[in-house]
């Protein structure tokens, strides 16, 4: 049966609240996810929180009940609490009805099976958690095999990235690697590396994309390093007909991913 916590001074509340800080997330190996939709996506993907906090007035919702049952059956703990404490945990004035504390997870690069998907997303030095979350959502939408984060990217388990992913964090495998680890792995099997760049005349719609396609998006402000572009099998750009010289990284990735998908579908 769920226990009840109503005190802000509770040790577990303080511990969970600290997971909003990257230092504490890494020390504990845990992260926060909030919202019934996201936690239901996680449950359906086979991932359950160690701790499930839920508002008392949501306890009769069938999806909340399903979460409580699944968490307790897996040996986790369900905790009934107030909206004020949920607000403290999530950092939002209008908190969601449920907050989960999950163990961090990533997939080793060598464990990725490139034969399982025709599209893979690769992001290099991505800095914005909203962009990372949106790219995960794009990956889910186009059936990408996974998202490979290259070099020093933003933490995919930050509250902002998890929130922006809308559950795709739990459905799209994530691997993290340095460039000098990624490139030998990529070249050890089939795969066309396609870089998004302004330093090319190849229009994205005039290019030919081979399966599996690895779409490489660079840092929001600086783009891809020249050395990385030189290793790409193909560089493409999106037409910019206005005064702006580039698109948002997540938007550009989505446009490219759907063009690749369209070609693959014939």
């Amino acid at each position: 049966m769920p226990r009840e916590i109503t005190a802000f001074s509770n040790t577990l509340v303080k511990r969970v609240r600290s997971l909003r800080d990257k230092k504490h997330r890494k020390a504990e190996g845990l992260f926060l996810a909030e919202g019934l939709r996201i936690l239901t996506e996680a449950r359906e993907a086979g991932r359950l929180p160690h701790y499930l906090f839920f508002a008392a007035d949501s306890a009769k919702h069938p999806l909340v009940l399903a979460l409580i049952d699944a968490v307790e059956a897996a040996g986790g703990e369900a905790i009934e609490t107030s909206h004020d404490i949920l607000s403290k945990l999530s950092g939002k004035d209008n908190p969601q009805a449920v907050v989960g504390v999950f163990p961090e997870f990533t997939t080793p690069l060598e464990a990725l099976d490139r034969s399982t998907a025709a599209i893979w997303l690769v992001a290099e030095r991505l800095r914005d958690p909203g962009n990372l979350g949106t790219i995960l959502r794009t990956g889910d939408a186009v059936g990408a095999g996974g998202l490979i984060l290259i070099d020093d990217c933003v933490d995919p388990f930050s509250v902002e990235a998890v929130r922006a992913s809308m559950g795709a964090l739990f459905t799209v495998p994530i691997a993290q690697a340095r460039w000098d680890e990624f490139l030998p792995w990529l070249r050890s099997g089939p795969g066309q590396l396609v870089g998004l760049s302004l330093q090319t005349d190849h229009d994205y719609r005039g290019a030919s994309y081979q399966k599996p396609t690895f779409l490489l998006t660079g840092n929001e402000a600086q783009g891809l390093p020249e050395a990385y572009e030189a290793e790409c099998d193909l560089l493409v750009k999106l037409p910019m007909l206005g005064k702006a010289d580039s698109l948002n990284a997540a938007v550009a990735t989505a446009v490219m991913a759907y063009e690749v998908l369209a070609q693959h579908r014939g």
Side-chain angles (χ1 to χ4, degrees):
M1 293 292 292
R3 66 164 159 148
E4 185 178 4
I5 292 179
T6 57
F8 285 95
S9 59
N10 180 274
T11 302
L12 182 59
V13 170
K14 291 181 178 179
R15 178 186 171 202
V16 172
R17 178 69 177 85
S18 75
L19 296 177
R20 294 182 57 78
D21 187 291
K22 182 178 181 179
K23 177 179 68 174
H24 293 288
R25 284 197 303 276
K26 296 308 175 186
E28 297 253 16
L30 301 170
F31 72 97
L32 292 174
E34 59 181 301
L36 188 53
R37 175 179 174 181
I38 291 178
L39 268 65
T40 297
E41 290 273 8
R43 176 177 62 82
E44 292 176 349
R47 297 195 182 274
L48 293 167
H50 286 179
Y51 299 102
L52 172 69
F53 290 82
F54 63 95
D57 58 7
S58 69
K60 293 184 179 180
H61 192 292
L63 291 178
V64 174
L65 288 173
L67 280 168
I68 292 171
D69 289 344
V71 168
E72 292 185 334
E77 186 172 8
I79 299 162
E80 184 177 302
T81 192
S82 66
H83 283 281
D84 286 342
I85 288 181
L86 288 174
S87 179
K88 183 178 181 67
L89 297 180
S90 69
K92 295 173 65 178
D93 292 334
N94 297 303
Q96 300 280 345
V98 291
V99 172
V101 180
F102 290 81
E104 290 190 355
F105 56 88
T106 55
T107 302
L109 189 64
E110 59 272 15
L112 295 178
D113 182 357
R114 69 186 75 197
S115 69
T116 60
I119 301 175
W120 295 78
L121 304 181
V122 187
E124 187 266 336
R125 291 178 302 139
L126 200 68
R127 302 310 303 160
D128 184 85
N131 281 339
L132 192 153
T134 301
I135 288 174
L136 281 170
R137 292 176 69 182
T138 295
D140 182 87
V142 301
L147 170 63
I148 303 171
L149 301 176
I150 301 297
D151 297 337
D152 298 317
C153 285
V154 64
D155 181 8
F157 300 108
S158 70
V159 172
E160 296 81 6
V162 174
R163 186 180 296 151
S165 80
M166 292 299 292
L169 175 77
F170 298 102
T171 63
V172 179
I174 298 174
Q176 296 175 297
R178 309 300 299 182
W179 178 255
D180 59 5
E181 298 168 330
F182 166 72
L183 196 59
W185 172 83
L186 176 70
R187 298 311 181 196
S188 69
Q192 180 190 38
L193 185 60
V194 178
L196 279 68
S197 173
L198 295 176
Q199 311 307 316
T200 181
D201 292 327
H202 291 130
D203 185 274
Y204 81 112
R205 299 198 69 181
S208 178
Y209 302 112
Q210 303 166 15
K211 299 179 182 179
T213 306
F214 288 79
L215 289 178
L216 175 59
T217 304
N219 173 266
E220 291 95 338
Q222 300 170 341
L224 293 169
E226 288 185 14
Y228 292 18
E229 290 188 343
E231 296 288 354
C232 291
D233 300 306
L234 176 66
L235 293 176
V236 296
K237 69 177 180 180
L238 303 176
M240 302 297 298
L241 305 182
K243 293 185 178 180
D245 61 1
S246 66
L247 278 178
N248 169 273
V251 172
T253 299
V255 172
M256 279 298 309
Y258 272 98
E259 176 61 25
V260 173
L261 179 64
Q263 278 202 21
H264 287 176
R265 295 175 70 182

